[in-house]
Amino acid sequence: MRKGKAAWTYQHTSAGLYIVQAKHGVIAVDTDQLRRRNVNRLTTTAKAKSKSLAVMPPVNAEFLFHFLLDRQHSDAIIGDLEERYRKLHKKFGRRRANFWYWTQTVVSLRPIMRAWVKKVVMKPVVGIVTWAVAKGLVGHDSWLASVMELWKKVRS
Amino acid sequence: MGKGDYLGEFETLILTALMILRENAYGMTIHEQMEKLAAGLRIVSLGAVYTTLDRLEQKGYVTSWFGGATEERGGRSKRFFKITGCGELAVKNALQVANNMVSGLREIGGMA
């Protein structure tokens, strides 16, 4: 008798049966049937998985949108791409749908990136320049202008 | 009307698509409608559609809201858009200008 989990013990017989000693009694299990059932279940799961994977757009492309946009906006755009992808997949097949998806992602990234730069990079830069002008760090009568004037005199 | 209030070609195209689609205007349908309107004349990317819609929303020509999640979109929600009165007026003005240009060209025989 071998020990399985703490709640029950089992024994393998030569007839291909498992005798399971559980808390509430003894159960005989036909291993062949069990194996067959498990194989069937695994095959069904694999088929379902491959079927769902077949209509899934490339995940790598999604990452780029998540990086540049907030969650709600990236979800909206990825959802649109996925909806169209499924349509194309049904109509033209996986290869063409994948090509369309990647093309759209690459083409879409340019305007999104430009908007992102404008929003994330330009605002601080404009802020710093404005602050510098206000502080007199740049401008015609600032110390920087005097240094530049001196540099021009030295060069000439 | 300030300089920023004038509509570009792409903006006019988007607002026209919104006027056609009415209640069912979200990213994908707008994109499809624009591809139909600009058939073969220009490439329309979904990213450009969204950034232009954001710009139009800032100008007050468009309003947007998020709808419920659907299974066909992998559980992701749709972002719906609706044109405002201001937006409709801007499209009418832009189309009027385009009509004037066409009739001007027709007068000199520039268009068949």
Side-chain angles (χ1 to χ4, degrees), chain A residues 82-97:
Chain A
E82 195 167 328
E83 197 177 333
R84 188 82 185 268
Y85 175 87
R86 281 172 200 265
K87 269 188 183 178
L88 290 172
H89 188 278
K90 208 173 175 183
K91 209 171 176 183
F92 301 111
R94 188 180 186 164
R95 186 180 276 188
R96 202 159 162 187

Side-chain angles (χ1 to χ4, degrees), chain A residues 38-91:
Chain A
N38 278 346
V39 166
N40 283 344
R41 201 177 60 204
L42 284 172
T43 320
T44 318
T45 316
K47 270 181 189 170
K49 234 178 193 177
S50 67
K51 202 178 175 185
S52 70
L53 276 174
V55 285
M56 283 293 284
V59 183
N60 292 337
E62 287 180 15
F63 163 76
L64 298 164
F65 290 110
H66 283 298
F67 180 71
L68 294 168
L69 297 165
D70 62 73
R71 197 173 154 261
Q72 259 194 328
H73 286 85
S74 64
D75 267 4
I77 195 165
I78 293 165
D80 286 331
L81 284 171
E82 195 167 328
E83 197 177 333
R84 188 82 185 268
Y85 175 87
R86 281 172 200 265
K87 269 188 183 178
L88 290 172
H89 188 278
K90 208 173 175 183
K91 209 171 176 183

Side-chain angles (χ1 to χ4, degrees), chain A residues 62 72-73 75-84 86-87 100 104 107-108 111-112 115, chain B residues 26-28 31-32 35 44-48 50-51 54 66 72-74 76-79:
Chain A
E62 287 180 15
Q72 259 194 328
H73 286 85
D75 267 4
I77 195 165
I78 293 165
D80 286 331
L81 284 171
E82 195 167 328
E83 197 177 333
R84 188 82 185 268
R86 281 172 200 265
K87 269 188 183 178
W100 177 86
Q104 270 302 317
V107 174
S108 294
I112 289 171
Chain B
Y26 65 96
M28 202 202 73
H31 185 229
E32 278 181 342
E35 277 180 342
V44 181
S45 78
L46 200 61
Y50 268 99
T51 46
D54 282 338
F66 287 93
E72 62 189 356
R73 295 163 60 85
R76 293 183 177 89
S77 55
K78 289 175 185 173
R79 189 179 171 196

Side-chain angles (χ1 to χ4, degrees), chain B residues 21-73:
Chain B
L21 291 165
R22 290 172 184 272
E23 301 300 315
N24 192 33
Y26 65 96
M28 202 202 73
T29 51
I30 298 168
H31 185 229
E32 278 181 342
Q33 189 63 48
M34 285 179 74
E35 277 180 342
K36 273 184 207 166
L37 290 172
L41 296 173
R42 68 178 298 166
I43 298 164
V44 181
S45 78
L46 200 61
V49 171
Y50 268 99
T51 46
T52 310
L53 280 164
D54 282 338
R55 197 167 59 241
L56 287 169
E57 196 172 14
Q58 280 170 7
K59 285 181 182 177
Y61 292 153
V62 161
T63 52
S64 78
W65 67 97
F66 287 93
T70 54
E71 201 186 325
E72 62 189 356
R73 295 163 60 85

